[in-house]
Amino acid sequence: MTTPTVSRGREGHETFESVVARLRQCRLCRDNPRKGSQPLPHEPRPIIHASPTARICIVGQAPGIRAHDTQRSFNDPSGVRLRSWLGMDDATFYDRRKVALIPMGFCFPGYDANKSDLPPRRECAETWRDQLFAQMPDIRLMVILGTYAQRWHLGPKVAREGVNNVVSRWHDFYEAEGGLKRFVLPHPSWRNNAWLKRNPWFEADVLPVLKRDVRETLSGFPQD
């Protein structure tokens, strides 16, 4: 993997821009995959949408093929549903000054034999996650989507409970250290349509609180 020259801030620490530059050039999953893993079969195209000033972080899984092709996260029906859940328009959602989109894997992982998306590459989170979050000190609200994100941010014991149990206990994870608010949500994929129909409490109880907190988190954000 070719690594660009590291840029340092005033105190000698690496800058956000330098971390992102190195991430964009990352080819670990293709050239040096994690032990026991197969190399990524296509050219990696990392997608990173974030800034040091972001107040909201959307923690997803990995880009799908449409995001891979367009280099735009949540550029699909799942993204439309997610923005509806958040009460956000496209302009706000894609304003990286306000919202960071940090998946567990930054590249499209490919398909399995059934043409379903493979899990996020583990090299990605292990290499980049701590570096990125260290550069985003203003995150006040985190939206955690799906099992892989739950495992990383809430721990493997919680993730083993399954999405239904974890989301039903969303208020147990709501308040975290430092005033951070966390929302544990199912993935907005069409594959969860049946789950949403079986669990009307999600839209009735969780989404109003989420939308309220999104509004409050972004209120007073400096304008252009």
Side-chain angles (χ1 to χ4, degrees):
M1 181 180 68
T2 301
T3 303
T5 301
V6 173
S7 173
R8 302 288 177 179
R10 291 181 179 179
E11 299 179 359
H13 299 296
E14 188 173 4
T15 64
F16 177 84
E17 291 75 15
S18 179
V19 173
V20 170
R22 291 191 296 108
L23 190 158
R24 292 187 189 281
Q25 294 186 27
C26 180
R27 299 296 182 268
L28 276 174
C29 57
R30 184 194 66 185
D31 299 342
N32 189 24
R34 192 175 188 272
K35 186 176 181 180
S37 300
Q38 295 296 316
L40 190 74
H42 53 266
E43 177 66 19
R45 299 184 68 191
I47 302 175
I48 173 66
H49 180 109
S51 80
T53 64
R55 293 185 181 178
I56 295 175
C57 182
I58 312 296
V59 180
Q61 307 218 111
I65 187 62
R66 187 177 297 186
H68 173 80
D69 289 341
T70 62
Q71 288 292 282
R72 189 175 176 88
S73 299
F74 289 104
N75 187 23
D76 55 19
S78 293
V80 174
R81 172 176 278 170
L82 176 59
R83 289 186 283 279
S84 174
W85 286 354
L86 296 166
M88 281 189 192
D89 58 20
D90 286 10
T92 303
F93 185 80
Y94 289 112
D95 186 341
R96 68 185 65 233
R97 300 172 308 153
K98 302 175 181 178
V99 179
L101 308 177
I102 307 292
M104 295 305 300
F106 290 95
C107 293
F108 171 57
Y111 293 123
D112 63 18
N114 297 317
K115 291 297 182 182
S116 296
D117 288 6
L118 287 166
R121 299 289 303 208
R122 292 180 65 177
E123 303 94 338
C124 219
E126 293 169 357
T127 303
W128 296 109
R129 209 155 192 80
D130 289 345
Q131 295 187 60
L132 280 169
F133 278 106
Q135 299 286 343
M136 296 188 295
D138 295 334
I139 298 297
R140 303 179 188 174
L141 189 155
M142 181 176 289
V143 177
I144 305 173
L145 301 173
T147 301
Y148 296 101
Q150 290 173 9
R151 182 179 297 121
W152 182 276
H153 289 276
L154 304 177
K157 182 178 180 180
V158 170
R160 283 195 293 270
E161 295 180 23
V163 172
N164 187 65
N165 287 336
V166 175
V167 176
S168 69
R169 294 202 298 118
W170 68 276
H171 214 278
D172 292 345
F173 314 106
Y174 176 60
E175 294 185 354
E177 293 183 7
L180 177 69
K181 298 294 179 62
R182 299 183 300 188
F183 284 88
V184 184
L185 307 184
H187 196 278
S189 167
W190 61 269
R191 290 185 173 86
N192 282 327
N193 284 351
W195 185 93
L196 293 169
K197 289 181 180 178
R198 291 195 306 270
N199 296 277
W201 56 264
F202 173 73
E203 291 191 359
D205 299 338
V206 183
L207 294 189
V209 181
L210 174 61
K211 291 176 181 178
R212 179 203 67 194
D213 282 4
V214 166
R215 290 193 303 269
E216 292 180 354
T217 301
L218 295 180
S219 65
F221 196 95
Q223 300 300 309
D224 295 333

